[in-house]
Amino acid sequence: RRKLARERDELNSRLDDSLAIIANLEKTKKKLHIEVEDLNLALENQRSDYASHERRVKKLESALTEAQSAKDRLGVEKESTERDAREKETKLLQFQRNFDELQEKLDETEKQRSNLARELDELMSNTSTVGKTNMELEHEKIKLQQELNRLKEEFEQLEDDCTVVSTNYQRAEVRINTLTNYQRAEVRINT
């Protein structure tokens, strides 16, 4: 009987130990289950962050592609603008030369007109000393008046031409200034 009681006590002790171990294992199992849930939640968050990061990377790559495309387009526009500016500068120089030539012609025509007017005045004042007949003087006066009228017309035409050239020159200067400012702005944007 004692032996049985000892064995029973021993078995009860073992049973208690086993129950304690089982209880500890249950606690550990619960802990591990909570940790697994936490890890699953962390993994889901990581996946979400990764997907968000991928979307941002795609947006940045798209923006970079657009920026490169805009840069290339601006480069082409800049070259075109520079070419236009050079052409307009060449035209401007040509207008300036034409203007200078027309101004010289205008000055020369004005001198001729002044000389003819002076000659006409001298002829009118010297009619008695020259000894020409009134008809000759009248004929000379008509010729001089016609030449004077022709020179006046030529002078007016040259003035009109000068006005046109001056207007074109000013327009070309405005265009060149606009293009130059545009190029400077683009250079600032690109740098």
Side-chain angles (χ1 to χ4, degrees):
R1 258 178 139 187
R2 275 191 198 166
K3 192 174 181 184
L4 280 174
R6 230 181 314 155
E7 282 181 16
R8 188 189 62 187
D9 289 342
E10 215 175 278
L11 284 172
N12 279 338
S13 176
R14 275 190 186 167
L15 181 61
D16 288 341
D17 289 344
S18 293
L19 288 174
I21 289 171
I22 288 171
N24 282 339
L25 287 173
E26 281 295 323
K27 284 182 186 176
T28 304
K29 180 181 170 187
K30 284 181 184 176
K31 265 188 188 176
L32 288 173
H33 183 68
I34 291 171
E35 285 179 14
V36 165
E37 285 180 355
D38 288 346
L39 287 172
N40 281 336
L41 186 61
L43 181 61
E44 192 59 39
N45 287 339
Q46 290 259 339
R47 284 182 181 150
S48 174
D49 289 346
Y50 180 77
S52 175
H53 177 71
E54 282 293 310
R55 284 192 298 274
R56 272 184 263 148
V57 166
K58 284 181 183 175
K59 282 182 183 177
L60 286 173
E61 286 173 348
S62 174
L64 182 63
T65 302
E66 286 177 20
Q68 185 63 41
S69 174
K71 179 185 173 193
D72 294 343
R73 190 184 76 251
L74 286 173
V76 169
E77 287 177 9
K78 179 184 174 191
E79 288 174 11
S80 174
T81 302
E82 287 173 347
R83 186 173 48 252
D84 288 348
R86 286 191 299 270
E87 289 172 4
K88 289 196 174 19
E89 193 170 347
T90 302
K91 284 182 182 177
L92 182 64
L93 291 172
Q94 184 62 43
F95 282 140
Q96 183 64 46
R97 280 193 293 275
N98 291 346
F99 180 77
D100 292 343
E101 288 173 8
L102 286 173
Q103 190 65 46
E104 286 176 19
K105 286 181 183 176
L106 186 64
D107 293 343
E108 185 61 34
T109 304
E110 179 60 27
K111 283 180 190 175
Q112 288 178 359
R113 189 192 65 76
S114 295
N115 288 340
L116 285 173
R118 193 173 57 251
E119 285 179 25
L120 183 61
D121 288 343
E122 286 174 6
L123 279 174
M124 294 305 283
S125 65
N126 293 332
T127 53
S128 61
T129 58
V130 172
K132 292 186 177 181
T133 66
N134 280 340
M135 268 180 104
E136 289 173 336
L137 289 174
E138 197 60 39
H139 182 64
E140 188 69 27
K141 179 182 174 186
I142 289 171
K143 279 174 40 177
L144 288 172
Q145 194 63 45
Q146 287 172 345
E147 182 67 17
L148 183 61
N149 289 339
R150 185 188 66 77
L151 287 172
K152 279 183 182 177
E153 287 176 12
E154 191 176 315
F155 181 77
E156 287 170 2
Q157 181 61 42
L158 286 172
E159 279 185 328
D160 291 344
D161 290 347
C162 280
T163 303
V164 168
V165 168
S166 178
T167 302
N168 288 339
Y169 177 79
Q170 290 170 351
R171 284 182 186 157
E173 273 188 328
V174 168
R175 285 187 199 128
I176 285 175
N177 287 337
T178 302
L179 289 171
T180 302
N181 290 337
Y182 178 75
Q183 284 176 337
R184 287 181 184 151
E186 286 202 1
V187 166
R188 274 189 247 120
I189 289 171
N190 289 334
T191 55

